[in-house]
Amino acid sequence: MSRRPLRELLPLRPGTAAGVLAAGLTLACAEFVRSGLYGAYLTQVIDTKFHLPVAVAGAAWTSHMVADTLMRGPAGGLIQRFGPRRVALAGAAVSLLALSLLPLAHSAWMLLLVAAIHGIGFSPMWPAAMNLTADAARPGYEGRVLTVVSTSVMPLTGLGFMVYGALAHRPDVWAITIALVMLSLSLLLSLLLPARRHIEAAAEGGERRSSPRALLPALLPLLPAALMQTLTQALIGNWLFRMAPKFGLEYWDLVALLVVGGAVAFGSMPFTGRIADRGRARLAVTVGYALVALGLAGFAFMPPVWTLFLLAACTGLGYAFLTPGWAALVAQTLPEAQRPAAWGVLMTVENGGFAAGPLLGGLALQQAGVRGPFALGAVLALITSLGYVLFRRHFQSRPPGVETPVKAGGAD
């Protein structure tokens, strides 16, 4: 009995694996710096090392995310026109230039400017990775393949958060050097991206003919999930180090808590992703938001420390349903030829959640204490889950169809 070649066993179309891997690594290095610098470092040292008000740390994150958000759509258009390699390379170079100026940021306006330029440079990374992955996935595997790529970025994102959290008590040169090294690596990896998208030029012509108005009916049902999956994370993530002591958690306790949630999420995704890819993407999103709401509500009651680990597992299971469910929902709902234009809009909405989350979380923390961000996140997640139950008839997913022809290698 003959064995099938490895490339036939992969859930990717032939000749696309190298491009997807390069895009994922380029994105992961960029996310390492972003999550660590804004999520864990500046929030701790903005007053002691930069001698600026604490609110400036949140404003820097917002400045970065607003610039990233506004540029996601144009970045998608540039990728469509010039290909992922050139656009991602330019973005990595701009990011590297921006953070090389960070030691000169001795005022609030200068720090916000650096953060905004960094956001502009970062903006092509996610569109390049997600469009290459969506083009490369075989029909019926879209949700799982997109989830594997997007979640494979998470270990470096989480590592960046933890590394920069620990660097708060070290000289500034540590944080700056690590940022420049990782962004230089991201720039070098971007050279390995395909010069063009994987799909044929025939599909590209269809994309150019599609208008935002024509995409609106397909996009509207996707917008709540696009916004809330990022907003619920950003409400809490940027303030974890400040809130942890109120729960009785030391640094390594917080690390263990995040590891438990992440392990449950990653360990469950092969099962939850299979559910999403078999035509039940909306169900997966609905269950995911319900579990996230349950977990966050439990944190809001500030239970004993051992209970927090159970709640972390519940929340991780929620994201295990939500992440592949959302990816499959996008892939199954949007026509393939219109996907790049539509994804630019969805990523803009997603970034809106990341931009608004820290500000809303900080306000909830100030007004209601550590219970506030968790309670607000639970309410928003529950509303979103109920929304996908009440408006379920608005989703019309396309069944797996015939594979779109691709260019072998997708490169030069």
mmCIF file with all atom_site columns, all heavy atoms in Angstrom, residues 144 147-148 151 154 264-274 316 319-321 323-324:
data_model
loop_
_atom_site.group_PDB
_atom_site.id
_atom_site.type_symbol
_atom_site.label_atom_id
_atom_site.label_alt_id
_atom_site.label_comp_id
_atom_site.label_asym_id
_atom_site.label_entity_id
_atom_site.label_seq_id
_atom_site.pdbx_PDB_ins_code
_atom_site.Cartn_x
_atom_site.Cartn_y
_atom_site.Cartn_z
_atom_site.occupancy
_atom_site.B_iso_or_equiv
_atom_site.pdbx_formal_charge
_atom_site.auth_seq_id
_atom_site.auth_comp_id
_atom_site.auth_asym_id
_atom_site.auth_atom_id
_atom_site.pdbx_PDB_model_num
ATOM 1   N N   . ARG A 1 144 ? -9.955  25.759 11.106 1.00 0.00 ? 144 ARG A N   1
ATOM 2   C CA  . ARG A 1 144 ? -8.840  25.164 11.849 1.00 0.00 ? 144 ARG A CA  1
ATOM 3   C C   . ARG A 1 144 ? -7.492  25.708 11.399 1.00 0.00 ? 144 ARG A C   1
ATOM 4   O O   . ARG A 1 144 ? -6.615  25.987 12.224 1.00 0.00 ? 144 ARG A O   1
ATOM 5   C CB  . ARG A 1 144 ? -8.880  23.642 11.702 1.00 0.00 ? 144 ARG A CB  1
ATOM 6   C CG  . ARG A 1 144 ? -9.855  22.957 12.653 1.00 0.00 ? 144 ARG A CG  1
ATOM 7   C CD  . ARG A 1 144 ? -10.073 21.500 12.324 1.00 0.00 ? 144 ARG A CD  1
ATOM 8   N NE  . ARG A 1 144 ? -10.939 21.338 11.159 1.00 0.00 ? 144 ARG A NE  1
ATOM 9   C CZ  . ARG A 1 144 ? -11.302 20.173 10.667 1.00 0.00 ? 144 ARG A CZ  1
ATOM 10  N NH1 . ARG A 1 144 ? -10.861 19.048 11.232 1.00 0.00 ? 144 ARG A NH1 1
ATOM 11  N NH2 . ARG A 1 144 ? -12.109 20.091 9.626  1.00 0.00 ? 144 ARG A NH2 1
ATOM 12  N N   . THR A 1 147 ? -7.132  29.213 12.637 1.00 0.00 ? 147 THR A N   1
ATOM 13  C CA  . THR A 1 147 ? -6.943  29.185 14.088 1.00 0.00 ? 147 THR A CA  1
ATOM 14  C C   . THR A 1 147 ? -5.532  28.763 14.445 1.00 0.00 ? 147 THR A C   1
ATOM 15  O O   . THR A 1 147 ? -4.908  29.329 15.354 1.00 0.00 ? 147 THR A O   1
ATOM 16  C CB  . THR A 1 147 ? -7.954  28.224 14.733 1.00 0.00 ? 147 THR A CB  1
ATOM 17  O OG1 . THR A 1 147 ? -9.276  28.708 14.469 1.00 0.00 ? 147 THR A OG1 1
ATOM 18  C CG2 . THR A 1 147 ? -7.739  28.141 16.238 1.00 0.00 ? 147 THR A CG2 1
ATOM 19  N N   . VAL A 1 148 ? -5.008  27.754 13.746 1.00 0.00 ? 148 VAL A N   1
ATOM 20  C CA  . VAL A 1 148 ? -3.638  27.305 14.021 1.00 0.00 ? 148 VAL A CA  1
ATOM 21  C C   . VAL A 1 148 ? -2.652  28.451 13.823 1.00 0.00 ? 148 VAL A C   1
ATOM 22  O O   . VAL A 1 148 ? -1.768  28.685 14.657 1.00 0.00 ? 148 VAL A O   1
ATOM 23  C CB  . VAL A 1 148 ? -3.273  26.103 13.125 1.00 0.00 ? 148 VAL A CB  1
ATOM 24  C CG1 . VAL A 1 148 ? -1.770  25.846 13.160 1.00 0.00 ? 148 VAL A CG1 1
ATOM 25  C CG2 . VAL A 1 148 ? -4.025  24.859 13.573 1.00 0.00 ? 148 VAL A CG2 1
ATOM 26  N N   . THR A 1 151 ? -3.426  31.347 16.500 1.00 0.00 ? 151 THR A N   1
ATOM 27  C CA  . THR A 1 151 ? -3.085  30.968 17.870 1.00 0.00 ? 151 THR A CA  1
ATOM 28  C C   . THR A 1 151 ? -1.615  30.583 18.025 1.00 0.00 ? 151 THR A C   1
ATOM 29  O O   . THR A 1 151 ? -1.088  30.650 19.137 1.00 0.00 ? 151 THR A O   1
ATOM 30  C CB  . THR A 1 151 ? -3.958  29.793 18.355 1.00 0.00 ? 151 THR A CB  1
ATOM 31  O OG1 . THR A 1 151 ? -3.827  28.690 17.448 1.00 0.00 ? 151 THR A OG1 1
ATOM 32  C CG2 . THR A 1 151 ? -5.406  30.207 18.448 1.00 0.00 ? 151 THR A CG2 1
ATOM 33  N N   . MET A 1 154 ? 0.184   33.277 19.569 1.00 0.00 ? 154 MET A N   1
ATOM 34  C CA  . MET A 1 154 ? -0.077  33.583 20.978 1.00 0.00 ? 154 MET A CA  1
ATOM 35  C C   . MET A 1 154 ? 1.070   33.249 21.922 1.00 0.00 ? 154 MET A C   1
ATOM 36  O O   . MET A 1 154 ? 1.325   34.002 22.862 1.00 0.00 ? 154 MET A O   1
ATOM 37  C CB  . MET A 1 154 ? -1.354  32.885 21.438 1.00 0.00 ? 154 MET A CB  1
ATOM 38  C CG  . MET A 1 154 ? -2.608  33.469 20.832 1.00 0.00 ? 154 MET A CG  1
ATOM 39  S SD  . MET A 1 154 ? -4.108  32.655 21.446 1.00 0.00 ? 154 MET A SD  1
ATOM 40  C CE  . MET A 1 154 ? -5.346  33.517 20.475 1.00 0.00 ? 154 MET A CE  1
ATOM 41  N N   . VAL A 1 264 ? -5.761  24.910 28.324 1.00 0.00 ? 264 VAL A N   1
ATOM 42  C CA  . VAL A 1 264 ? -7.119  24.422 28.050 1.00 0.00 ? 264 VAL A CA  1
ATOM 43  C C   . VAL A 1 264 ? -7.567  24.872 26.660 1.00 0.00 ? 264 VAL A C   1
ATOM 44  O O   . VAL A 1 264 ? -8.161  24.097 25.895 1.00 0.00 ? 264 VAL A O   1
ATOM 45  C CB  . VAL A 1 264 ? -8.103  24.926 29.121 1.00 0.00 ? 264 VAL A CB  1
ATOM 46  C CG1 . VAL A 1 264 ? -9.542  24.614 28.721 1.00 0.00 ? 264 VAL A CG1 1
ATOM 47  C CG2 . VAL A 1 264 ? -7.789  24.288 30.472 1.00 0.00 ? 264 VAL A CG2 1
ATOM 48  N N   . ALA A 1 265 ? -7.274  26.135 26.324 1.00 0.00 ? 265 ALA A N   1
ATOM 49  C CA  . ALA A 1 265 ? -7.668  26.652 25.007 1.00 0.00 ? 265 ALA A CA  1
ATOM 50  C C   . ALA A 1 265 ? -6.993  25.873 23.883 1.00 0.00 ? 265 ALA A C   1
ATOM 51  O O   . ALA A 1 265 ? -7.663  25.372 22.966 1.00 0.00 ? 265 ALA A O   1
ATOM 52  C CB  . ALA A 1 265 ? -7.340  28.138 24.911 1.00 0.00 ? 265 ALA A CB  1
ATOM 53  N N   . PHE A 1 266 ? -5.682  25.744 23.947 1.00 0.00 ? 266 PHE A N   1
ATOM 54  C CA  . PHE A 1 266 ? -4.941  25.051 22.884 1.00 0.00 ? 266 PHE A CA  1
ATOM 55  C C   . PHE A 1 266 ? -5.297  23.570 22.832 1.00 0.00 ? 266 PHE A C   1
ATOM 56  O O   . PHE A 1 266 ? -5.413  22.988 21.753 1.00 0.00 ? 266 PHE A O   1
ATOM 57  C CB  . PHE A 1 266 ? -3.434  25.225 23.086 1.00 0.00 ? 266 PHE A CB  1
ATOM 58  C CG  . PHE A 1 266 ? -2.909  26.535 22.615 1.00 0.00 ? 266 PHE A CG  1
ATOM 59  C CD1 . PHE A 1 266 ? -2.640  27.552 23.510 1.00 0.00 ? 266 PHE A CD1 1
ATOM 60  C CD2 . PHE A 1 266 ? -2.687  26.775 21.264 1.00 0.00 ? 266 PHE A CD2 1
ATOM 61  C CE1 . PHE A 1 266 ? -2.153  28.771 23.081 1.00 0.00 ? 266 PHE A CE1 1
ATOM 62  C CE2 . PHE A 1 266 ? -2.211  27.989 20.829 1.00 0.00 ? 266 PHE A CE2 1
ATOM 63  C CZ  . PHE A 1 266 ? -1.941  28.992 21.739 1.00 0.00 ? 266 PHE A CZ  1
ATOM 64  N N   . GLY A 1 267 ? -5.459  22.955 24.001 1.00 0.00 ? 267 GLY A N   1
ATOM 65  C CA  . GLY A 1 267 ? -5.766  21.529 24.016 1.00 0.00 ? 267 GLY A CA  1
ATOM 66  C C   . GLY A 1 267 ? -7.149  21.208 23.485 1.00 0.00 ? 267 GLY A C   1
ATOM 67  O O   . GLY A 1 267 ? -7.389  20.108 22.974 1.00 0.00 ? 267 GLY A O   1
ATOM 68  N N   . SER A 1 268 ? -8.077  22.153 23.582 1.00 0.00 ? 268 SER A N   1
ATOM 69  C CA  . SER A 1 268 ? -9.454  21.912 23.139 1.00 0.00 ? 268 SER A CA  1
ATOM 70  C C   . SER A 1 268 ? -9.694  22.269 21.689 1.00 0.00 ? 268 SER A C   1
ATOM 71  O O   . SER A 1 268 ? -10.692 21.843 21.097 1.00 0.00 ? 268 SER A O   1
ATOM 72  C CB  . SER A 1 268 ? -10.423 22.725 24.017 1.00 0.00 ? 268 SER A CB  1
ATOM 73  O OG  . SER A 1 268 ? -10.257 22.426 25.375 1.00 0.00 ? 268 SER A OG  1
ATOM 74  N N   . MET A 1 269 ? -8.825  23.075 21.090 1.00 0.00 ? 269 MET A N   1
ATOM 75  C CA  . MET A 1 269 ? -9.092  23.597 19.746 1.00 0.00 ? 269 MET A CA  1
ATOM 76  C C   . MET A 1 269 ? -9.203  22.535 18.645 1.00 0.00 ? 269 MET A C   1
ATOM 77  O O   . MET A 1 269 ? -9.965  22.737 17.704 1.00 0.00 ? 269 MET A O   1
ATOM 78  C CB  . MET A 1 269 ? -8.055  24.650 19.371 1.00 0.00 ? 269 MET A CB  1
ATOM 79  C CG  . MET A 1 269 ? -8.366  26.009 19.971 1.00 0.00 ? 269 MET A CG  1
ATOM 80  S SD  . MET A 1 269 ? -7.168  27.266 19.526 1.00 0.00 ? 269 MET A SD  1
ATOM 81  C CE  . MET A 1 269 ? -7.736  28.620 20.570 1.00 0.00 ? 269 MET A CE  1
ATOM 82  N N   . PRO A 1 270 ? -8.473  21.425 18.712 1.00 0.00 ? 270 PRO A N   1
ATOM 83  C CA  . PRO A 1 270 ? -8.707  20.411 17.675 1.00 0.00 ? 270 PRO A CA  1
ATOM 84  C C   . PRO A 1 270 ? -10.158 19.923 17.643 1.00 0.00 ? 270 PRO A C   1
ATOM 85  O O   . PRO A 1 270 ? -10.714 19.677 16.569 1.00 0.00 ? 270 PRO A O   1
ATOM 86  C CB  . PRO A 1 270 ? -7.744  19.284 18.076 1.00 0.00 ? 270 PRO A CB  1
ATOM 87  C CG  . PRO A 1 270 ? -6.641  19.975 18.794 1.00 0.00 ? 270 PRO A CG  1
ATOM 88  C CD  . PRO A 1 270 ? -7.303  21.087 19.540 1.00 0.00 ? 270 PRO A CD  1
ATOM 89  N N   . PHE A 1 271 ? -10.780 19.819 18.809 1.00 0.00 ? 271 PHE A N   1
ATOM 90  C CA  . PHE A 1 271 ? -12.179 19.397 18.886 1.00 0.00 ? 271 PHE A CA  1
ATOM 91  C C   . PHE A 1 271 ? -13.117 20.528 18.500 1.00 0.00 ? 271 PHE A C   1
ATOM 92  O O   . PHE A 1 271 ? -14.013 20.361 17.666 1.00 0.00 ? 271 PHE A O   1
ATOM 93  C CB  . PHE A 1 271 ? -12.484 18.911 20.312 1.00 0.00 ? 271 PHE A CB  1
ATOM 94  C CG  . PHE A 1 271 ? -13.950 18.729 20.589 1.00 0.00 ? 271 PHE A CG  1
ATOM 95  C CD1 . PHE A 1 271 ? -14.663 17.677 20.029 1.00 0.00 ? 271 PHE A CD1 1
ATOM 96  C CD2 . PHE A 1 271 ? -14.621 19.624 21.417 1.00 0.00 ? 271 PHE A CD2 1
ATOM 97  C CE1 . PHE A 1 271 ? -16.016 17.515 20.292 1.00 0.00 ? 271 PHE A CE1 1
ATOM 98  C CE2 . PHE A 1 271 ? -15.972 19.468 21.676 1.00 0.00 ? 271 PHE A CE2 1
ATOM 99  C CZ  . PHE A 1 271 ? -16.669 18.412 21.110 1.00 0.00 ? 271 PHE A CZ  1
ATOM 100 N N   . THR A 1 272 ? -12.922 21.692 19.096 1.00 0.00 ? 272 THR A N   1
ATOM 101 C CA  . THR A 1 272 ? -13.823 22.815 18.813 1.00 0.00 ? 272 THR A CA  1
ATOM 102 C C   . THR A 1 272 ? -13.678 23.300 17.372 1.00 0.00 ? 272 THR A C   1
ATOM 103 O O   . THR A 1 272 ? -14.660 23.720 16.753 1.00 0.00 ? 272 THR A O   1
ATOM 104 C CB  . THR A 1 272 ? -13.545 23.979 19.782 1.00 0.00 ? 272 THR A CB  1
ATOM 105 O OG1 . THR A 1 272 ? -12.175 24.384 19.663 1.00 0.00 ? 272 THR A OG1 1
ATOM 106 C CG2 . THR A 1 272 ? -13.812 23.560 21.219 1.00 0.00 ? 272 THR A CG2 1
ATOM 107 N N   . GLY A 1 273 ? -12.462 23.234 16.831 1.00 0.00 ? 273 GLY A N   1
ATOM 108 C CA  . GLY A 1 273 ? -12.270 23.631 15.436 1.00 0.00 ? 273 GLY A CA  1
ATOM 109 C C   . GLY A 1 273 ? -12.974 22.707 14.464 1.00 0.00 ? 273 GLY A C   1
ATOM 110 O O   . GLY A 1 273 ? -13.495 23.146 13.434 1.00 0.00 ? 273 GLY A O   1
ATOM 111 N N   . ARG A 1 274 ? -13.035 21.411 14.790 1.00 0.00 ? 274 ARG A N   1
ATOM 112 C CA  . ARG A 1 274 ? -13.741 20.459 13.938 1.00 0.00 ? 274 ARG A CA  1
ATOM 113 C C   . ARG A 1 274 ? -15.238 20.776 13.915 1.00 0.00 ? 274 ARG A C   1
ATOM 114 O O   . ARG A 1 274 ? -15.891 20.701 12.872 1.00 0.00 ? 274 ARG A O   1
ATOM 115 C CB  . ARG A 1 274 ? -13.493 19.038 14.442 1.00 0.00 ? 274 ARG A CB  1
ATOM 116 C CG  . ARG A 1 274 ? -13.917 17.948 13.459 1.00 0.00 ? 274 ARG A CG  1
ATOM 117 C CD  . ARG A 1 274 ? -13.556 16.569 13.971 1.00 0.00 ? 274 ARG A CD  1
ATOM 118 N NE  . ARG A 1 274 ? -12.130 16.425 14.156 1.00 0.00 ? 274 ARG A NE  1
ATOM 119 C CZ  . ARG A 1 274 ? -11.540 16.212 15.325 1.00 0.00 ? 274 ARG A CZ  1
ATOM 120 N NH1 . ARG A 1 274 ? -12.274 16.138 16.428 1.00 0.00 ? 274 ARG A NH1 1
ATOM 121 N NH2 . ARG A 1 274 ? -10.235 16.093 15.417 1.00 0.00 ? 274 ARG A NH2 1
ATOM 122 N N   . GLY A 1 316 ? -10.654 29.828 29.085 1.00 0.00 ? 316 GLY A N   1
ATOM 123 C CA  . GLY A 1 316 ? -9.841  29.265 28.010 1.00 0.00 ? 316 GLY A CA  1
ATOM 124 C C   . GLY A 1 316 ? -10.658 28.383 27.092 1.00 0.00 ? 316 GLY A C   1
ATOM 125 O O   . GLY A 1 316 ? -10.495 28.426 25.863 1.00 0.00 ? 316 GLY A O   1
ATOM 126 N N   . TYR A 1 319 ? -12.621 30.591 24.706 1.00 0.00 ? 319 TYR A N   1
ATOM 127 C CA  . TYR A 1 319 ? -11.840 31.062 23.559 1.00 0.00 ? 319 TYR A CA  1
ATOM 128 C C   . TYR A 1 319 ? -11.481 29.922 22.616 1.00 0.00 ? 319 TYR A C   1
ATOM 129 O O   . TYR A 1 319 ? -11.249 30.144 21.428 1.00 0.00 ? 319 TYR A O   1
ATOM 130 C CB  . TYR A 1 319 ? -10.588 31.796 24.039 1.00 0.00 ? 319 TYR A CB  1
ATOM 131 C CG  . TYR A 1 319 ? -10.891 33.209 24.485 1.00 0.00 ? 319 TYR A CG  1
ATOM 132 C CD1 . TYR A 1 319 ? -10.874 33.559 25.838 1.00 0.00 ? 319 TYR A CD1 1
ATOM 133 C CD2 . TYR A 1 319 ? -11.227 34.197 23.556 1.00 0.00 ? 319 TYR A CD2 1
ATOM 134 C CE1 . TYR A 1 319 ? -11.175 34.845 26.249 1.00 0.00 ? 319 TYR A CE1 1
ATOM 135 C CE2 . TYR A 1 319 ? -11.526 35.482 23.961 1.00 0.00 ? 319 TYR A CE2 1
ATOM 136 C CZ  . TYR A 1 319 ? -11.498 35.801 25.309 1.00 0.00 ? 319 TYR A CZ  1
ATOM 137 O OH  . TYR A 1 319 ? -11.809 37.087 25.710 1.00 0.00 ? 319 TYR A OH  1
ATOM 138 N N   . ALA A 1 320 ? -11.439 28.686 23.137 1.00 0.00 ? 320 ALA A N   1
ATOM 139 C CA  . ALA A 1 320 ? -11.219 27.534 22.258 1.00 0.00 ? 320 ALA A CA  1
ATOM 140 C C   . ALA A 1 320 ? -12.378 27.355 21.285 1.00 0.00 ? 320 ALA A C   1
ATOM 141 O O   . ALA A 1 320 ? -12.185 26.904 20.150 1.00 0.00 ? 320 ALA A O   1
ATOM 142 C CB  . ALA A 1 320 ? -11.023 26.267 23.087 1.00 0.00 ? 320 ALA A CB  1
ATOM 143 N N   . PHE A 1 321 ? -13.583 27.663 21.720 1.00 0.00 ? 321 PHE A N   1
ATOM 144 C CA  . PHE A 1 321 ? -14.735 27.653 20.814 1.00 0.00 ? 321 PHE A CA  1
ATOM 145 C C   . PHE A 1 321 ? -14.765 28.907 19.947 1.00 0.00 ? 321 PHE A C   1
ATOM 146 O O   . PHE A 1 321 ? -15.045 28.841 18.741 1.00 0.00 ? 321 PHE A O   1
ATOM 147 C CB  . PHE A 1 321 ? -16.044 27.573 21.615 1.00 0.00 ? 321 PHE A CB  1
ATOM 148 C CG  . PHE A 1 321 ? -16.458 26.186 21.987 1.00 0.00 ? 321 PHE A CG  1
ATOM 149 C CD1 . PHE A 1 321 ? -16.174 25.682 23.243 1.00 0.00 ? 321 PHE A CD1 1
ATOM 150 C CD2 . PHE A 1 321 ? -17.138 25.384 21.086 1.00 0.00 ? 321 PHE A CD2 1
ATOM 151 C CE1 . PHE A 1 321 ? -16.559 24.397 23.596 1.00 0.00 ? 321 PHE A CE1 1
ATOM 152 C CE2 . PHE A 1 321 ? -17.528 24.096 21.425 1.00 0.00 ? 321 PHE A CE2 1
ATOM 153 C CZ  . PHE A 1 321 ? -17.242 23.602 22.689 1.00 0.00 ? 321 PHE A CZ  1
ATOM 154 N N   . THR A 1 323 ? -12.390 31.196 18.963 1.00 0.00 ? 323 THR A N   1
ATOM 155 C CA  . THR A 1 323 ? -11.360 31.513 17.972 1.00 0.00 ? 323 THR A CA  1
ATOM 156 C C   . THR A 1 323 ? -11.559 30.760 16.657 1.00 0.00 ? 323 THR A C   1
ATOM 157 O O   . THR A 1 323 ? -11.634 31.385 15.593 1.00 0.00 ? 323 THR A O   1
ATOM 158 C CB  . THR A 1 323 ? -9.964  31.238 18.557 1.00 0.00 ? 323 THR A CB  1
ATOM 159 O OG1 . THR A 1 323 ? -9.814  31.983 19.772 1.00 0.00 ? 323 THR A OG1 1
ATOM 160 C CG2 . THR A 1 323 ? -8.877  31.643 17.582 1.00 0.00 ? 323 THR A CG2 1
ATOM 161 N N   . PRO A 1 324 ? -11.655 29.420 16.655 1.00 0.00 ? 324 PRO A N   1
ATOM 162 C CA  . PRO A 1 324 ? -11.907 28.747 15.377 1.00 0.00 ? 324 PRO A CA  1
ATOM 163 C C   . PRO A 1 324 ? -13.308 29.009 14.845 1.00 0.00 ? 324 PRO A C   1
ATOM 164 O O   . PRO A 1 324 ? -13.528 29.011 13.629 1.00 0.00 ? 324 PRO A O   1
ATOM 165 C CB  . PRO A 1 324 ? -11.708 27.270 15.701 1.00 0.00 ? 324 PRO A CB  1
ATOM 166 C CG  . PRO A 1 324 ? -11.951 27.156 17.158 1.00 0.00 ? 324 PRO A CG  1
ATOM 167 C CD  . PRO A 1 324 ? -11.491 28.449 17.754 1.00 0.00 ? 324 PRO A CD  1
#
